[in-house]
């Protein structure tokens, strides 16, 4: 019996225990405690290979298998698969279900999505003969479905507005039409939300973010049933978006502390969000854990934690936001998220740089918008840093001695 499978009373171990142990080899005297790194592109076989040939591009390197099983255990899935990046995971998973064939050349997707995903739907998939209908209200899903629809696509919480779609309704539409539902749950992580438990077909992650957790690797991952994940694996073999063994090994190390890190991300972000909401220099705080968030009730019903991402709109618009970002000392600007270091970014320079001001406003990105990926530092230090950056600027100091 595997130590992560079942407790003595027959119930499943908790998520922290699964994060540490699940998917790894059974402990044996003399064997290393840590999964060895199989930094190799291929494996010896008999001259006539039997069974599954171990070739790293097939995603069957032992490091891939361990991380795939660990993610599956966390998501409550039968199987998991690691890929070269979040975008590789998305594109490969989508192309496992959709194609130019007239019977499956259409996707119905949430209108508000990560910028990279929007680019895929607006530019790259149409070039392959796949069109996407964006849905910007909860009622729109059903009406957007066509006979040639291949899949439904959702993201939650949304990067960077942290909106939460009406997930049970989307699941219900997917069920009624027997369509696969793919969900990017990068912001939530399996600690805060497990889409498969609610009826999704496939969970997708940018493992570059929280799963890795240390801003030191680029990776993607999916989890779902054996059949569905095998379908994605076959496409990964064809398109080649496999993850290098060393990055996979680092990802396993990061995932061991996922539950612990996410608990701290959740606690720090919730505390900062409440404090920021009362700050005179801040016009608006977007955080699903605040009662003021438009989807707060939904977040409470679906999520086990509200996450480490929060966004603020500072008074005074983009110039004021830029001034705040340049005055931060502990928090630094960088376009990624989900690591132990707190990072800030202004979407108008990063994820939404291609949009006009009007398009940004339509996407919920007001002037003065700053996204904060709250790290695991001491909350008091993060608060002090924000306090000094948000403070009114001291009147220009007089040079020379007074008097
Ligand atoms: C970063 C991100 C991606 C893309 O992941 P990469 O690892 O950068 O390819 C996809 N979805 C969301 C929500 C993200 O934040």
């Amino acid at each position: 019996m595997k130590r992560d499978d079942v407790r003595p009373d027959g119930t499943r171990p908790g998520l922290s225990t699964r994060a540490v142990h699940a998917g790894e080899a059974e402990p044996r005297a003399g064997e290393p405690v840590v999964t060895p790194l199989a930094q190799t592109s291929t494996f010896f076989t008999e001259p006539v290979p039997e069974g599954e040939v171990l070739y790293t591009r097939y995603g069957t390197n032992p490091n891939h298998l361990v991380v795939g099983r660990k993610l599956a255990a966390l998501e409550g899935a039968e199987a998991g698969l690691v890929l070269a990046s979040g975008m590789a995971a998305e594109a490969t998973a989508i192309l496992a279900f959709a194609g130019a064939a007239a019977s499956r050349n259409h996707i119905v997707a949430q209108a508000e999505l990560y910028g990279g995903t929007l680019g895929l739907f607006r530019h790259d998939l149409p070039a392959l003969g796949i069109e996407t209908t964006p849905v910007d209200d909860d009622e729109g899903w059903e009406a957007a479905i066509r006979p040639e629809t291949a899949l439904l696509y959702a993201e939650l919480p949304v990067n960077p507005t942290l909106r939460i779609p009406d997930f049970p309704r989307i699941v219900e539409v997917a069920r009624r039409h027997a369509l696969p539902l793919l969900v990017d749950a990068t912001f939530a992580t399996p600690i805060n939300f497990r889409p498969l438990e609610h009826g999704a077909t496939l969970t997708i992650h940018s493992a570059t973010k929280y799963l890795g957790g240390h801003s030191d690797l680029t990776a993607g991952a999916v989890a779902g049933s054996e059949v569905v994940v095998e379908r994605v694996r076959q496409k990964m073999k064809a398109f080649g978006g496999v993850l290098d063994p060393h990055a996979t090994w680092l990802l396993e190390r990061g995932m061991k502390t996922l539950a612990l890190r996410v608990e701290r991300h959740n606690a720090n972000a919730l505390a900062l969000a409440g404090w920021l909401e009362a700050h005179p220099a801040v016009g608006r705080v977007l955080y699903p854990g605040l009662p003021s968030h438009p989807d707060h009730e939904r977040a409470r019903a679906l999520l086990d934690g509200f996450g480490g991402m929060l966004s603020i709109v500072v008074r005074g618009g983009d110039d004021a936001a830029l001034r705040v970002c340049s005055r931060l000392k502990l928090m630094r600007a960088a376009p990624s998220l989900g690591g132990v270091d707190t990072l800030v970014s202004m979407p108008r320079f990063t994820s939404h740089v291609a949009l006009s001001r009007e398009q940004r406003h339509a996407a919920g990105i007001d002037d003065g918008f700053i996204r904060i990926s709250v790290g695991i530092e001491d909350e008091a230090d993060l608060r002090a840093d924000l306090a000094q950056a948000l403070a009114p600027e001291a009147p220009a100091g007089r040079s020379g001695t007074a008097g």
Side-chain angles (χ1 to χ4, degrees):
M1 181 167 295
K2 291 222 159 66
R3 49 191 175 151
D4 56 275
D5 267 1
V6 70
R7 290 172 172 149
D9 68 358
T11 59
R12 288 209 70 185
L15 291 172
S16 295
T17 305
R18 288 185 226 172
V20 176
H21 294 295
E24 299 182 16
E26 278 305 285
R28 283 204 185 81
E31 294 289 321
V33 169
V34 172
T35 306
L37 167 57
Q39 187 67 36
T40 182
S41 61
T42 191
F43 296 79
F44 293 120
T45 63
E46 291 304 316
V48 180
E50 269 179 40
E52 192 163 29
V53 179
L54 289 166
Y55 182 56
T56 290
R57 178 167 48 79
Y58 295 176
T60 50
N61 179 300
N63 296 104
H64 294 146
L65 298 180
V66 168
V67 174
R69 288 195 298 259
K70 196 182 282 296
L71 180 66
L74 289 167
E75 294 281 2
E78 285 175 6
L81 179 70
V82 283
L83 296 97
S85 67
M87 290 311 299
E90 281 182 30
T92 308
I94 288 167
L95 292 173
F97 288 100
S103 58
R104 50 187 212 123
N105 62 9
H106 178 245
I107 294 172
V108 179
Q110 213 169 295
E112 272 190 33
L113 291 167
Y114 168 67
T117 313
L118 287 178
L120 192 64
F121 287 147
R122 285 190 190 145
H123 306 295
D124 303 284
L125 293 178
L128 300 176
I130 304 165
E131 295 295 331
T132 299
T133 302
V135 174
D136 58 11
D137 61 359
D138 295 324
E139 289 75 37
W141 292 85
E142 178 80 47
I145 303 232
R146 304 181 194 158
E148 64 271 27
T149 302
L151 63 95
L152 308 187
Y153 193 96
E155 173 181 324
L156 112 192
V158 174
N159 179 0
T161 56
L162 302 159
R163 295 299 305 259
I164 305 214
D166 186 352
F167 198 65
R169 186 197 296 238
I170 302 170
V171 168
E172 159 63 17
V173 173
R175 278 221 179 103
R176 194 146 10 93
H177 295 270
L179 287 169
L181 170 58
L182 278 52
V183 182
D184 180 343
T186 298
F187 269 33
T189 84
I191 307 306
N192 288 336
F193 183 58
R194 295 162 299 284
L196 302 174
E197 284 179 1
H198 298 264
T201 311
L202 191 77
T203 305
I204 303 175
H205 287 281
S206 167
T208 311
K209 316 293 168 55
Y210 289 102
L211 296 185
H214 295 74
S215 306
D216 57 2
L217 60 86
T218 296
V222 301
S225 70
E226 295 277 4
V227 173
V228 164
V229 169
E230 188 50 34
R231 202 163 154 163
V232 181
R233 183 197 304 283
Q234 291 307 326
K235 276 287 179 265
M236 182 181 81
K237 280 168 76 170
F239 293 126
V242 77
L243 189 63
D244 175 76
H246 181 248
T248 314
W249 182 87
L250 272 179
L251 177 55
E252 179 186 342
R253 184 174 69 163
M255 285 173 71
K256 284 188 176 245
T257 56
L258 180 68
L260 197 59
R261 285 186 285 108
V262 170
E263 278 167 30
R264 176 63 83 91
H265 287 296
N266 287 344
N268 276 356
L270 184 62
L272 284 179
W275 175 78
L276 282 163
E277 193 161 50
H279 197 288
V282 177
R284 207 148 59 89
V285 178
L286 300 164
Y287 186 66
L290 293 178
S292 59
H293 190 277
D295 303 321
H296 178 61
E297 286 313 317
R298 253 177 219 174
R300 276 172 39 129
L302 282 176
L303 309 181
D304 295 334
F306 299 114
M309 299 300 300
L310 71 90
S311 296
I312 60 175
V313 180
V314 299
R315 292 189 202 281
D318 283 338
D319 289 345
L322 203 51
R323 199 161 52 240
V324 169
C325 288
S326 3
R327 290 166 87 192
L328 288 166
K329 296 191 170 75
L330 184 59
M331 305 182 171
R332 298 310 301 259
S336 194
L337 63 107
V340 292
D341 305 58
T342 297
L343 299 177
V344 300
S345 71
M346 294 177 64
R348 75 176 171 114
F349 297 125
T350 57
S351 54
H352 293 65
V353 71
L355 304 190
S356 69
R357 187 159 172 250
E358 288 67 36
Q359 285 172 321
R360 281 201 307 272
H361 291 176
I365 319 279
D366 292 338
D367 296 338
F369 198 104
I370 303 175
R371 188 189 74 180
I372 309 176
S373 171
V374 180
I376 65 164
E377 301 94 334
D378 290 284
E379 193 257 319
D381 294 321
L382 298 177
R383 188 185 296 215
D385 194 26
L386 279 168
Q388 64 82 22
L390 287 165
E393 277 190 289
R398 251 189 259 160
S399 54
T401 44

